[in-house]
Amino acid sequence: MTQPALLRIAVLDDWQSIASGVLDWSVLDSVGEVSFLHEYPADTATMVERLASFDVICIMRERTLFNEALLSQLPNLKLLVTGGMRNAAIDVAAARRHGIEVCGTESYKHAAPELTWALIMGITRNLVSEANSLRAGNWQIGIGSDLHGKTLGILGLGSIGKWIARYGQAFGMKVIAWSQNLTAEAAAEVGVTRVSKQELFEQADILSVHLVLSDRSRGLVDAEALGWMKHTAYLINSSRGPIVDEAALIDSLRHKRIAGAALDVFDIEPLPVDHPYRSLDNVLATPHVGYVTQNNYHMFYSQIIEDIQAWHAGKPIRGFAL
């Protein structure tokens, strides 16, 4: 009896070149041959050339764009697997039209909120500047801001926003929140006060963004909203870059209309080398590492392997809904 051909499996978007060592990929030896591709995303023609021969492609959330133009030129692709259960870089409807199954993974729920709180502590206590001063042979160069007794504003009180609320309460902060669908009752259940959008921006000493990127949330933090903020307030965004109007935020930071911003997400990633966020002295910026932790990567890649095995057995799991 003829044995079925082994699948050609590609693992993309491994910017740190660690995927092959996170766990044992040899469990897929009976299913297919795994290739780890380390080139950065490129133009569509280049991506087609790189990927045309693969049956299964494994990607990390929102790095390589899989749109109609690319998907339509990958005739061998049968399964696209991504870390997480959301990936705005995948045109799921186009994938379905071309007969491509799209599956995801769970996420380690603590990684993003922990990074968010690190950003809050880092920007308010000038930790990077103080550490760099010490490394350069100097000593104290500034005065940090306190959190206890201050107001923490949360834009989007979902699963991550609720963790941030708990952290703020543990630090003795007053916590307020707003989003389009948030009710006063839902906020009160976690000890948070619902306010209006304008009140959120006006009252917050720390304003942290925790919304899903959508047509409704894109650009929601605009020049008007930033103009409501205190000049002593800080904006934190570890959610998605386009929720904040980038040009408006840069203008506010340059003119010191707010005290500063701590950012882990950007409109364009990787961030261009000449981007103002790399040089503004009131910005703490990290390269989208909110989900880049040992636990999260182990969960992503182990469940990516499970997705491939389940699909190969004819019983796909964790499929994306249209």
Side-chain angles (χ1 to χ4, degrees):
M1 183 176 178
T2 303
Q3 293 292 323
L6 291 176
L7 298 172
R8 293 207 63 197
I9 304 168
V11 179
L12 274 59
D13 299 337
D14 180 18
W15 289 355
Q16 300 104 323
S17 298
I18 60 172
S20 61
V22 169
L23 40 73
D24 183 8
W25 290 82
S26 68
V27 296
L28 291 175
D29 285 352
S30 62
V31 173
E33 177 185 357
V34 181
S35 299
F36 298 92
L37 308 183
H38 297 293
E39 295 91 344
Y40 278 74
D43 61 88
T44 300
T46 302
M47 294 302 293
V48 169
E49 183 178 353
R50 290 177 185 168
L51 302 176
S53 64
F54 289 100
D55 307 286
V56 178
I57 298 176
C58 310
I59 62 175
M60 191 58 69
R61 53 198 303 178
E62 280 138 44
R63 293 186 180 178
T64 299
L65 179 64
F66 279 82
N67 55 13
E68 168 68 31
L70 178 56
L71 292 167
S72 64
Q73 298 183 74
L74 300 177
N76 292 314
L77 183 59
K78 307 294 190 303
L79 175 66
L80 187 60
V81 192
T82 177
M85 287 303 298
R86 285 196 190 98
N87 192 332
I90 301 174
D91 186 335
V92 179
R96 293 290 167 78
R97 287 196 299 271
H98 295 288
I100 302 166
E101 184 80 35
V102 181
C103 296
T105 73
E106 298 171 11
S107 297
Y108 181 68
K109 63 184 179 180
H110 300 291
E114 287 178 1
L115 186 278
T116 301
W117 203 256
L119 290 174
I120 291 172
M121 295 298 298
I123 190 72
T124 57
R125 295 301 294 269
N126 305 315
L127 293 184
V128 173
S129 296
E130 297 291 355
N132 288 340
S133 174
L134 184 71
R135 188 178 293 273
N138 302 312
W139 200 236
Q140 300 168 0
I141 58 173
I143 300 176
S145 299
D146 302 288
L147 295 181
H148 186 88
K150 298 289 182 65
T151 297
L152 171 64
I154 301 177
L155 182 60
L157 196 62
S159 58
I160 295 176
K162 288 176 182 176
W163 276 108
I164 299 305
R166 295 184 188 105
Y167 297 163
Q169 290 158 351
F171 273 72
M173 302 184 76
K174 174 186 176 182
V175 185
I176 59 177
W178 175 84
S179 69
Q180 289 98 329
N181 296 330
L182 180 65
T183 65
E185 293 75 17
E189 288 177 1
V190 290
V192 175
T193 301
R194 185 199 184 276
V195 295
S196 70
K197 178 183 177 182
Q198 183 167 346
E199 289 170 332
L200 182 80
F201 282 82
E202 288 177 341
Q203 296 177 22
D205 297 295
I206 308 291
L207 196 147
S208 195
V209 179
H210 299 288
L211 294 171
V212 174
L213 179 61
S214 66
D215 290 340
R216 189 168 65 166
S217 66
R218 187 180 296 273
L220 187 65
V221 182
D222 55 13
E224 180 181 42
L226 291 167
W228 292 330
M229 294 180 70
K230 303 174 184 178
H231 75 276
T232 54
Y234 295 90
L235 179 74
I236 317 296
N237 188 9
S238 61
S239 184
R240 288 295 181 270
I243 295 171
V244 178
D245 182 324
E246 186 177 273
L249 178 57
I250 291 170
D251 186 63
S252 292
L253 292 165
R254 279 178 170 158
H255 292 91
K256 311 294 184 183
R257 286 194 287 267
I258 63 174
L263 310 167
D264 187 49
V265 290
F266 312 96
D267 285 8
I268 299 173
E269 298 182 2
L271 192 67
V273 294
D274 59 348
H275 197 284
Y277 288 153
R278 292 184 182 267
S279 57
L280 285 165
D281 61 8
N282 52 354
V283 171
L284 170 58
T286 51
H288 203 158
V289 294
Y291 62 100
V292 183
T293 69
Q294 292 178 347
N295 283 342
N296 213 27
Y297 268 42
H298 189 274
M299 179 175 288
F300 279 170
Y301 285 122
S302 62
Q303 291 193 4
I304 281 173
I305 289 174
E306 290 175 1
D307 287 347
I308 295 170
Q309 292 171 323
W311 173 82
H312 185 255
K315 299 178 180 179
I317 56 176
R318 291 185 285 265
F320 271 39
L322 286 174

